[in-house]
Amino acid sequence: MKLNFYKYEGAGNDFILLDNREQHFNPDQQPQMIKKLCDRHFGIGADGLMALQLKPGYHFEMLYYNANGSAGTMCGNGGRCITAFAKRLGIIQNETNFMAVDGPHYAKISENGDWVSLKMIDVDDIKMDGNAFVLNTGSPHYVVQRSQLRDLDVFRAGREIRYNEVYSSEGINVNFVEDMGDHYYVRTYERGVEDETFACGTGATAVAMAMARLKNKTGQTTITLRVTGGQLSVSFDYDGKKFTNVFLEGPASFVFEGSIDV
């Protein structure tokens, strides 16, 4: 069987996308296949795979799978990339309402189709684990500040937290952040990929919220974040208790399309 696919990336966070509107492919029954497709040595190579499917009342539904083949939680950069993909397929023009695992999402896309702003879920539950922030922005995140972040072994440091006795059963994404003055520098270890990724959208959102809470930055705010693969921005309203009108914004670029025997 030949599987047609598209490759997209958002600030270096890369994905395999499938047009599954006719549901020829059942990803829930293919974890090993997904793992192989995402493998950078034996497959196409990606941080995750997404299937675009029909959903009554919405332009489409986004199904996301981790690089290890498991069903994923919300992926912010994935949501931005699948929006660009939907525009390429002619499903939408410049705006969309789609369904994801954490509920409905609105997104808007630039005329040239490579810059996407995605509305994220509201957040009002932020816990502390020592000096780290723990919150869910569609996926669970751990946010901790580090100096000299460029020199950090993110794989080792992130893995220690992700697999410690508190988080090992469910897993957590681990974000290290350094305040650079006019922006935050972020590096993320992602569960499901089990390695550092070039960017993480829900992670960038979590970092922006954690830093706003740390500095008691209320009102309407836009925060710029530099990640390994480029730049993202997160805007929101914060009243000191709850984050609303949350938007993750950044690039979403088509890389190539092809077919592979599966």
Side-chain angles (χ1 to χ4, degrees):
M1 170 186 167
K2 279 200 178 293
L3 182 69
N4 297 319
F5 69 89
Y6 298 75
K7 182 77 178 284
Y8 275 77
E9 61 87 13
N13 205 183
D14 60 338
F15 308 98
I16 298 164
L17 285 119
L18 306 179
D19 178 1
N20 205 35
R21 286 176 289 176
E22 297 183 4
Q23 295 189 297
H24 293 312
F25 184 73
N26 188 341
D28 285 333
Q29 296 179 3
Q30 304 289 348
Q32 291 305 311
M33 183 185 293
I34 292 171
K35 183 177 181 180
K36 184 176 180 180
L37 291 172
C38 291
D39 191 290
R40 298 190 184 278
H41 300 286
F42 300 102
I44 301 163
D47 292 327
L49 178 146
M50 286 180 284
L52 183 151
Q53 300 191 166
L54 296 175
K55 182 73 173 179
Y58 298 89
H59 288 114
F60 59 89
E61 180 179 23
M62 165 187 167
L63 300 182
Y64 179 75
Y65 297 84
N66 296 310
N68 65 5
S70 63
T73 47
M74 180 56 187
C75 177
N77 288 327
R80 295 189 309 97
C81 284
I82 203 169
T83 298
F85 180 47
K87 181 178 176 70
R88 184 180 185 88
L89 294 177
I91 298 171
I92 66 169
Q93 293 301 313
N94 297 323
E95 293 182 290
T96 182
N97 287 284
F98 68 89
M99 180 61 74
V101 66
D102 64 339
H105 286 266
Y106 165 79
K108 56 185 177 181
I109 186 168
S110 62
E111 287 292 338
N112 63 6
D114 64 358
W115 193 264
V116 178
S117 180
L118 173 69
K119 193 171 193 295
M120 307 294 284
I121 62 170
D122 295 345
V123 173
D124 61 1
D125 184 14
I126 302 180
K127 297 180 173 64
M128 300 300 298
D129 182 351
N131 63 345
F133 298 84
V134 179
L135 61 159
N136 193 308
T137 55
S139 289
H141 284 276
Y142 182 104
V143 178
V144 63
Q145 289 187 289
R146 288 289 180 97
S147 59
Q148 303 299 315
L149 184 51
R150 292 189 185 280
D151 300 326
L152 180 67
D153 184 344
V154 169
F155 176 78
R156 180 191 60 79
R159 193 173 180 83
E160 285 179 0
I161 297 167
R162 184 259 188 266
Y163 283 104
N164 71 19
E165 61 182 12
V166 177
Y167 303 111
S168 60
S169 60
E170 296 295 327
I172 198 163
N173 301 287
V174 184
N175 305 272
F176 301 99
V177 55
E178 184 174 2
D179 188 346
M180 307 302 288
D182 62 341
H183 70 279
Y184 291 99
Y185 176 43
V186 182
R187 296 177 67 187
T188 301
Y189 177 98
E190 280 200 56
R191 68 170 187 173
V193 178
E194 304 308 333
D195 203 347
E196 182 179 6
T197 54
F198 276 24
C200 177
T202 55
T205 304
V207 168
M209 291 178 176
M211 295 302 98
R213 172 167 164 169
L214 178 67
K215 297 186 176 183
N216 195 31
K217 201 172 182 67
T218 57
Q220 204 288 323
T221 300
T222 298
I223 291 178
T224 301
L225 306 110
R226 174 66 62 179
V227 296
T228 303
Q231 182 173 302
L232 298 169
S233 69
V234 178
S235 62
F236 46 72
D237 294 321
Y238 180 47
D239 64 3
K241 294 182 179 179
K242 186 174 183 177
F243 294 89
T244 58
N245 298 317
V246 183
F247 281 87
L248 168 69
E249 185 172 321
S253 302
F254 170 75
V255 182
F256 62 88
E257 63 180 295
S259 62
I260 187 169
D261 291 322
V262 295

